[in-house]
Amino acid sequence: MLGMNRKLAELEKQGNYIKVGLIGAGQMGRGMISQIEGMKGMKVVAAADINITNVIHAYKHAGIHENNIVQTDKEDDAVRAVEEGKVTAFSEAEKVASLPSVDVVVDATGIPNVGAAIAWEAILNRKHIVMLNVEADVTVGPVLKKLADSAGVVYTGSAGDEPGAVMELYDFADALGFEVIALGKGKNNPLNLEADPSTAAEEAKEKGASPKMLASFQDGTKTMVEMNAVANATGFIPDQTGMHGFQASVDELADIFQKKEDGGQLHNKGIVEYVQGVAPGVFAIITSHNEEVHEELQYVKLGSGPHYTLYRPYHLTSLETPLTVARAYFDNEPTIAPNYDRQAETAATAKKDLKKGEFLDSIGGYSVYGTLMEKSEADKTEAFPIGLVDANVKVLRDVQKGETLTYNDIEQTKESTIWRLRRLQEQ
């Protein structure tokens, strides 16, 4: 994000700042508020959480005095508070997404249906929307992007989230004319398809995290949806259903990510993947058709070729989100968005034997995990997207553990925003 610091400093010098509206004051939201409080030219002026106490605590932890925090459900009071340099706290997300004072809305709820509704509301009110909600993005991101484009606002994923970090590497390499062979991320923990809130409870308590959220990392769902987002943004596809999940060090990546006939382990190029052993980093595997370029890459010690690894050893999650906010505001550009519509699908897969009449629960729960597959395979099998999973989805037949659920296997018993948007997208 070259030059963003100077743009923000100049905006503040002019007596102005980007007014951010945040929905979701959990771990990600709290960190973002605190980070922005130390920045120039930006401020979280409105935040909402179903538990409004979370918002109050987030503001206080960021160093904002309680006298400058206005708790309200009235738009006029909130607008007046912002004009006076104060911040506002709501319990209803819609209040933030429609508040005239807000320039950019950030969804940090992590709940697919809530995120879809927030994005919809923000776009209707012609506000830029930043999604810290990859699950919603891979489910209805393509239609939300089209709606945002029509409204003249930016729909975007976030810097600091792994898809955003991968996209920065891809844009760098692609702009320079390199051939990008593969894009990927490290996985922090061993794949455990049976992980659930109970098995994750002890570790979650130690880390101060949600057991459900941690289970979604351990069972691979989070990794699948993150690389799904990268696929939709770049046109790349998984090399096989579920990806390979190689075990490797950074130094081994360039050799592994070659086609099998060339001594590597890939069936194709232009693929998305995850690797055990390189977390928390992200990577791009590149090559060139020019011998002079190969000599230069070897000179700067990027490897012996013919493939080379661009590796970023960190991603700062919501602490980097303000850079996406600034890019949307100043440049009307996303960090990452589904530019290639829907290239892949993360399908719901039975985590246990499911019985006819049973209801599903949620991502990171006891019933299903996500498996990434190509769009063509998902469409052929009518695979059921993981982002549509919630407690209102009923199973219509016995489904064996490890079996991919299809639309024919389930019944939606209650209407929701994300289902409506998905139907619109499929039309």
Side-chain angles (χ1 to χ4, degrees):
M1 301 287 184
L2 294 174
M4 207 58 74
N5 53 338
R6 288 180 287 278
K7 290 181 180 181
L8 288 165
E10 180 61 27
L11 186 66
E12 184 170 283
K13 185 178 178 181
Q14 295 170 1
N16 199 2
Y17 57 93
I18 303 171
K19 300 170 185 66
V20 181
L22 169 70
I23 295 103
Q27 182 181 358
M28 295 293 111
R30 290 197 310 272
M32 195 191 84
I33 290 175
S34 288
Q35 189 67 37
I36 288 176
E37 272 301 297
M39 294 174 61
K40 296 177 181 178
M42 189 182 299
K43 189 176 187 68
V44 176
V45 299
D49 193 283
I50 193 169
N51 181 357
I52 200 168
T53 304
N54 290 341
V55 177
I56 306 300
H57 288 166
Y59 280 140
K60 288 182 177 179
H61 289 160
I64 299 171
H65 195 276
E66 60 184 352
N67 291 341
N68 290 321
I69 303 170
V70 177
Q71 183 176 330
T72 182
D73 59 358
K74 296 180 179 178
E75 182 180 292
D76 290 346
D77 290 346
V79 170
R80 190 178 308 109
V82 174
E83 289 174 348
E84 294 171 354
K86 298 179 180 180
V87 298
T88 58
F90 296 90
S91 59
E92 297 178 42
E94 295 81 4
K95 301 286 187 180
V96 172
S98 63
L99 190 66
S101 307
V102 168
D103 300 311
V104 184
V105 176
V106 178
D107 166 38
T109 64
I111 302 170
N113 184 56
V114 175
I118 290 165
W120 171 257
E121 190 71 23
I123 293 166
L124 286 179
N125 285 278
R126 286 182 160 75
K127 299 183 188 299
H128 304 307
I129 174 67
V130 180
M131 300 292 284
L132 265 169
N133 192 329
V134 189
E135 296 82 359
D137 175 66
V138 301
T139 308
V140 292
V143 71
L144 287 170
K145 180 183 183 300
K146 290 176 183 176
L147 292 168
D149 289 346
S150 297
V153 296
V154 175
Y155 170 88
T156 179
S158 176
D161 234 1
E162 282 157 301
V166 171
M167 195 68 188
E168 289 177 14
L169 286 180
Y170 172 78
D171 283 351
F172 170 81
D174 187 53
L176 286 172
F178 288 111
E179 179 183 4
V180 182
I181 303 298
L183 297 166
K185 56 157 284 183
K187 190 175 185 307
N188 284 303
N189 34 53
L191 182 64
N192 175 13
L193 299 179
E194 298 180 347
D196 60 39
S198 296
T199 64
E202 185 174 345
E203 184 178 346
K205 185 177 180 180
E206 292 173 359
K207 294 181 175 180
S210 158
K212 189 182 295 184
M213 182 183 73
L214 184 58
S216 74
F217 284 99
Q218 294 174 345
D219 70 14
T221 300
K222 194 72 173 179
T223 291
M224 299 293 158
V225 297
E226 286 171 340
M227 298 321 297
N228 194 159
V230 173
N232 292 351
T234 61
F236 284 27
I237 59 172
D239 199 36
Q240 64 181 32
T241 296
M243 299 183 284
H244 293 283
F246 300 122
Q247 180 75 43
S249 66
V250 175
D251 291 339
E252 295 172 311
L253 294 179
D255 291 332
I256 289 174
F257 282 89
Q258 298 189 57
K259 295 182 76 173
K260 287 191 173 183
E261 55 262 37
D262 298 322
Q265 297 189 39
L266 299 184
H267 304 297
N268 305 287
K269 55 185 180 180
I271 62 107
V272 294
E273 188 54 73
Y274 75 96
V275 174
Q276 301 271 3
V278 300
V282 297
F283 61 88
I285 308 300
I286 63 169
T287 191
S288 173
H289 300 291
N290 188 296
E291 190 57 39
E292 189 71 30
V293 173
H294 280 279
E295 290 182 9
E296 188 76 8
L297 290 171
Q298 291 162 20
Y299 175 76
V300 297
K301 302 187 186 309
L302 211 60
S304 57
H307 292 176
Y308 309 87
T309 302
L310 301 179
Y311 177 69
R312 182 185 177 189
Y314 65 91
H315 65 283
L316 304 184
T317 61
S318 62
L319 301 184
E320 292 185 55
T321 301
L323 294 177
T324 293
V325 170
R327 186 175 185 181
Y329 179 88
F330 288 118
D331 303 334
N332 285 297
E333 289 284 343
T335 295
I336 180 171
N339 304 308
Y340 287 80
D341 201 71
R342 179 173 154 264
Q343 290 292 304
E345 190 79 77
T346 303
T349 307
K351 192 177 284 190
K352 61 174 186 173
D353 289 341
L354 300 172
K355 299 301 182 183
K356 180 180 178 180
E358 185 175 348
F359 283 82
L360 303 182
D361 47 14
S362 64
I363 291 173
Y366 296 88
S367 59
V368 293
Y369 60 87
T371 303
L372 184 63
M373 58 180 64
E374 273 193 73
K375 172 185 180 292
S376 58
E377 181 184 356
D379 289 347
K380 182 179 179 181
T381 60
E382 297 188 297
F384 181 57
I386 193 74
L388 296 181
V389 169
D390 64 23
N392 298 305
V393 176
K394 184 179 180 181
V395 180
L396 298 179
R397 69 172 179 89
D398 289 350
V399 178
Q400 291 186 339
K401 178 181 178 181
E403 191 176 348
T404 299
L405 276 76
T406 71
Y407 278 104
N408 294 325
D409 296 329
I410 60 92
E411 177 185 8
Q412 174 203 11
T413 63
K414 185 179 180 181
E415 186 74 339
S416 66
T417 300
I418 198 166
W419 275 84
R420 287 191 291 269
L421 286 170
R422 180 67 185 214
R423 282 197 295 271
L424 179 62
Q425 179 173 289
E426 291 175 351
Q427 291 170 9

